[in-house]
């Protein structure tokens, strides 16, 4: 019996959610009331009949004319109903919502677009969207980074590196007995902060990489890019000078299709060898790739 009750709960929750969402789509315009009933007109009433009914009721229930608190509440409802029915667009949307109450999200979206769409500054929407996306982006990066850090800290390589750093700091000699060497927990935390963990694919979160920050810096980035291309053309196309180390690295990375992070992980000797080969020249790249293929076959 207990199992049956437990399995029923998800269906009950779904049913409650459906009821919760369907109800507002029907009453989103005039709460629990019917807008036409509030004005005392039929759904087929024309604009002049609606206007006439509104003025008649507003004179009767206006707070200046009728001090009754209930009458004041009714006046607010009447005014809201008139605002909806006097406009052909919102009236059409309301009529559609009456006929199709099951289209919850569509009716709700049309309502809020009609009432708040023209009042909302697109720039504010853009800023809000960028802030939300940047927040999710940073949270995702932070989660991935800390998950990767936790995984790395469980590896033997990390523990050995931590042990070596602790010995370097204290000058202690590790006991050769099994389990005889242990690092104090507080010291381990302090030393782990000194170890700079570079994890490919899960870099430490940075504000500079967020969408919002990039968008704000877009004019600066474009200006810097134009300046960079201009200087590049002047140095290497007009003056025909030799490539600098940074520019040669960029050309080599581009020729190999290697991301910046992958390039940074290479040792200096490997970088120098690749740059000296001049891989940005197609013939040199073809020779290098051919050598790599032969080396791969030889290892097999």
């Amino acid at each position: 019996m207990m199992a049956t009750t437990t399995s029923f709960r998800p269906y009950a929750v779904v049913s409650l959610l459906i009821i919760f969402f369907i109800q507002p789509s029907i009453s989103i315009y005039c709460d629990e009331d019917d807008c036409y009933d509030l004005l005392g007109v039929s759904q087929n009433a024309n604009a002049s009949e609606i206007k006439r009914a509104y003025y008649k009721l507003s004179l009767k229930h206006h707070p200046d004319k009728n001090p009754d608190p209930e009458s004041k509440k009714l006046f607010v409802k009447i005014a809201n109903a008139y605002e909806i029915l006097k406009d052909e667009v919102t009236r059409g949307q309301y009529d559609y919502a009456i006929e199709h109450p099951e289209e919850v999200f569509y009716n709700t979206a049309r309502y809020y677009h009609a009432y708040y769409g023209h009042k909302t500054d697109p720039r504010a929407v853009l800023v809000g969207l960028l802030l939300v996306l940047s927040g999710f982006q940073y949270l995702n990066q932070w989660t991935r980074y800390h998950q990767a850090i936790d995984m790395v800290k469980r590896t033997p390589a990390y523990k050995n590196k931590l042990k070596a750093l602790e010995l370097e700091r204290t000058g202690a000699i590790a006991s050769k007995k099994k389990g005889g060497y242990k690092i104090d927990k507080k010291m381990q935390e302090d030393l782990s902060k000194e170890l700079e963990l570079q994890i490919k694919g899960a870099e430490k979160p940075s504000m500079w990489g967020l969408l919002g920050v990039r968008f704000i810096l877009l004019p600066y980035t474009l200006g810097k890019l134009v300046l960079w291309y201009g200087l590049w053309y002047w140095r290497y196309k007009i003056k025909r000078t030799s490539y600098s180390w940074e520019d040669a690295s960029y050309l080599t990375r581009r020729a190999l299709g290697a991301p910046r992070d992958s390039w940074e992980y290479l040792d200096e000797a490997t970088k120098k060898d690749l740059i000296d080969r001049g891989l940005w020249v197609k013939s040199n790249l073809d020779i290098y790739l051919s050598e790599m293929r032969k080396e791969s076959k030889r290892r097999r």
Side-chain angles (χ1 to χ4, degrees), residues 29-30 33-41 80-82 84-85 94 98:
Y29 288 88
C30 291
D33 302 302
D34 184 292
C35 294
Y36 291 103
D37 290 343
L38 284 171
L39 295 179
V41 296
N80 179 59
Y82 179 65
I84 292 167
L85 299 181
Y94 177 64
I98 293 174

Short mmCIF file of all heavy atoms in Angstrom, two decimals, residues 29-30 33-41 80-82 84-85 94 98:
data_model
loop_
_atom_site.label_atom_id
_atom_site.label_comp_id
_atom_site.label_asym_id
_atom_site.label_seq_id
_atom_site.Cartn_x
_atom_site.Cartn_y
_atom_site.Cartn_z
N TYR A 29 -6.71 38.03 -17.29
CA TYR A 29 -7.11 39.38 -17.69
C TYR A 29 -7.92 40.08 -16.61
O TYR A 29 -7.62 41.22 -16.25
CB TYR A 29 -7.92 39.32 -18.99
CG TYR A 29 -7.08 38.98 -20.19
CD1 TYR A 29 -6.85 37.66 -20.56
CD2 TYR A 29 -6.49 39.98 -20.96
CE1 TYR A 29 -6.06 37.34 -21.66
CE2 TYR A 29 -5.70 39.68 -22.07
CZ TYR A 29 -5.49 38.35 -22.40
OH TYR A 29 -4.71 38.04 -23.49
N CYS A 30 -8.98 39.44 -16.13
CA CYS A 30 -9.86 40.07 -15.14
C CYS A 30 -9.99 39.24 -13.87
O CYS A 30 -11.07 39.15 -13.27
CB CYS A 30 -11.26 40.31 -15.74
SG CYS A 30 -11.27 41.59 -17.02
N ASP A 33 -13.14 37.10 -12.56
CA ASP A 33 -14.36 37.62 -13.19
C ASP A 33 -14.26 37.56 -14.71
O ASP A 33 -13.19 37.41 -15.28
CB ASP A 33 -14.59 39.06 -12.75
CG ASP A 33 -14.72 39.19 -11.24
OD1 ASP A 33 -15.60 38.53 -10.67
OD2 ASP A 33 -13.91 39.92 -10.64
N ASP A 34 -15.42 37.69 -15.31
CA ASP A 34 -15.50 37.80 -16.76
C ASP A 34 -15.52 39.29 -17.10
O ASP A 34 -16.33 40.05 -16.55
CB ASP A 34 -16.76 37.10 -17.28
CG ASP A 34 -16.84 37.12 -18.80
OD1 ASP A 34 -17.03 38.21 -19.37
OD2 ASP A 34 -16.70 36.04 -19.41
N CYS A 35 -14.65 39.72 -18.00
CA CYS A 35 -14.55 41.16 -18.33
C CYS A 35 -15.87 41.70 -18.87
O CYS A 35 -16.25 42.84 -18.58
CB CYS A 35 -13.42 41.37 -19.36
SG CYS A 35 -11.77 41.01 -18.72
N TYR A 36 -16.56 40.90 -19.67
CA TYR A 36 -17.84 41.34 -20.23
C TYR A 36 -18.90 41.46 -19.14
O TYR A 36 -19.69 42.41 -19.12
CB TYR A 36 -18.31 40.37 -21.32
CG TYR A 36 -17.46 40.41 -22.56
CD1 TYR A 36 -16.52 39.41 -22.82
CD2 TYR A 36 -17.59 41.44 -23.48
CE1 TYR A 36 -15.73 39.43 -23.97
CE2 TYR A 36 -16.81 41.48 -24.63
CZ TYR A 36 -15.88 40.47 -24.86
OH TYR A 36 -15.12 40.53 -25.99
N ASP A 37 -18.90 40.50 -18.21
CA ASP A 37 -19.88 40.55 -17.13
C ASP A 37 -19.65 41.75 -16.23
O ASP A 37 -20.61 42.34 -15.70
CB ASP A 37 -19.80 39.27 -16.29
CG ASP A 37 -20.32 38.05 -17.05
OD1 ASP A 37 -21.02 38.25 -18.06
OD2 ASP A 37 -20.00 36.91 -16.63
N LEU A 38 -18.38 42.11 -16.01
CA LEU A 38 -18.09 43.27 -15.17
C LEU A 38 -18.69 44.55 -15.74
O LEU A 38 -19.15 45.43 -15.00
CB LEU A 38 -16.58 43.45 -15.02
CG LEU A 38 -15.87 42.47 -14.07
CD1 LEU A 38 -14.37 42.61 -14.19
CD2 LEU A 38 -16.30 42.73 -12.62
N LEU A 39 -18.70 44.66 -17.08
CA LEU A 39 -19.28 45.85 -17.71
C LEU A 39 -20.76 45.67 -18.04
O LEU A 39 -21.42 46.62 -18.48
CB LEU A 39 -18.51 46.17 -18.99
CG LEU A 39 -17.05 46.59 -18.81
CD1 LEU A 39 -16.39 46.85 -20.16
CD2 LEU A 39 -16.94 47.84 -17.94
N GLY A 40 -21.26 44.45 -17.82
CA GLY A 40 -22.69 44.20 -18.07
C GLY A 40 -23.03 44.19 -19.54
O GLY A 40 -24.14 44.61 -19.92
N VAL A 41 -22.11 43.73 -20.39
CA VAL A 41 -22.37 43.65 -21.83
C VAL A 41 -22.12 42.22 -22.30
O VAL A 41 -21.47 41.43 -21.61
CB VAL A 41 -21.46 44.62 -22.62
CG1 VAL A 41 -21.77 46.07 -22.26
CG2 VAL A 41 -19.98 44.32 -22.37
N ASN A 80 -10.27 48.11 -15.25
CA ASN A 80 -9.37 47.13 -15.87
C ASN A 80 -10.06 46.41 -17.02
O ASN A 80 -9.46 46.21 -18.09
CB ASN A 80 -8.91 46.12 -14.82
CG ASN A 80 -8.00 45.07 -15.40
OD1 ASN A 80 -6.95 45.36 -15.95
ND2 ASN A 80 -8.41 43.81 -15.30
N ALA A 81 -11.32 46.03 -16.81
CA ALA A 81 -12.09 45.35 -17.87
C ALA A 81 -12.24 46.25 -19.08
O ALA A 81 -12.13 45.79 -20.23
CB ALA A 81 -13.45 44.93 -17.32
N TYR A 82 -12.48 47.54 -18.84
CA TYR A 82 -12.63 48.48 -19.96
C TYR A 82 -11.32 48.64 -20.73
O TYR A 82 -11.33 48.72 -21.97
CB TYR A 82 -13.12 49.83 -19.44
CG TYR A 82 -13.27 50.87 -20.53
CD1 TYR A 82 -14.21 50.70 -21.53
CD2 TYR A 82 -12.46 51.99 -20.56
CE1 TYR A 82 -14.36 51.64 -22.55
CE2 TYR A 82 -12.59 52.94 -21.55
CZ TYR A 82 -13.53 52.75 -22.56
OH TYR A 82 -13.66 53.68 -23.56
N ILE A 84 -9.13 46.48 -21.21
CA ILE A 84 -8.93 45.28 -22.03
C ILE A 84 -9.86 45.27 -23.24
O ILE A 84 -9.44 44.99 -24.36
CB ILE A 84 -9.15 44.01 -21.17
CG1 ILE A 84 -8.03 43.89 -20.14
CG2 ILE A 84 -9.23 42.75 -22.04
CD1 ILE A 84 -8.29 42.87 -19.05
N LEU A 85 -11.12 45.61 -23.02
CA LEU A 85 -12.12 45.48 -24.08
C LEU A 85 -12.18 46.67 -25.03
O LEU A 85 -12.70 46.53 -26.14
CB LEU A 85 -13.50 45.26 -23.46
CG LEU A 85 -13.64 43.99 -22.59
CD1 LEU A 85 -15.06 43.88 -22.05
CD2 LEU A 85 -13.28 42.74 -23.39
N TYR A 94 -8.23 38.35 -25.54
CA TYR A 94 -9.06 37.89 -24.43
C TYR A 94 -10.11 36.90 -24.93
O TYR A 94 -10.35 35.85 -24.31
CB TYR A 94 -9.73 39.07 -23.75
CG TYR A 94 -10.68 38.69 -22.65
CD1 TYR A 94 -10.22 38.05 -21.50
CD2 TYR A 94 -12.04 38.97 -22.75
CE1 TYR A 94 -11.09 37.69 -20.48
CE2 TYR A 94 -12.91 38.62 -21.74
CZ TYR A 94 -12.44 37.98 -20.61
OH TYR A 94 -13.30 37.62 -19.60
N ILE A 98 -10.61 32.91 -23.89
CA ILE A 98 -11.86 32.32 -23.43
C ILE A 98 -12.18 31.04 -24.21
O ILE A 98 -12.59 30.02 -23.66
CB ILE A 98 -13.02 33.32 -23.57
CG1 ILE A 98 -12.84 34.49 -22.60
CG2 ILE A 98 -14.37 32.64 -23.32
CD1 ILE A 98 -13.85 35.59 -22.77
#
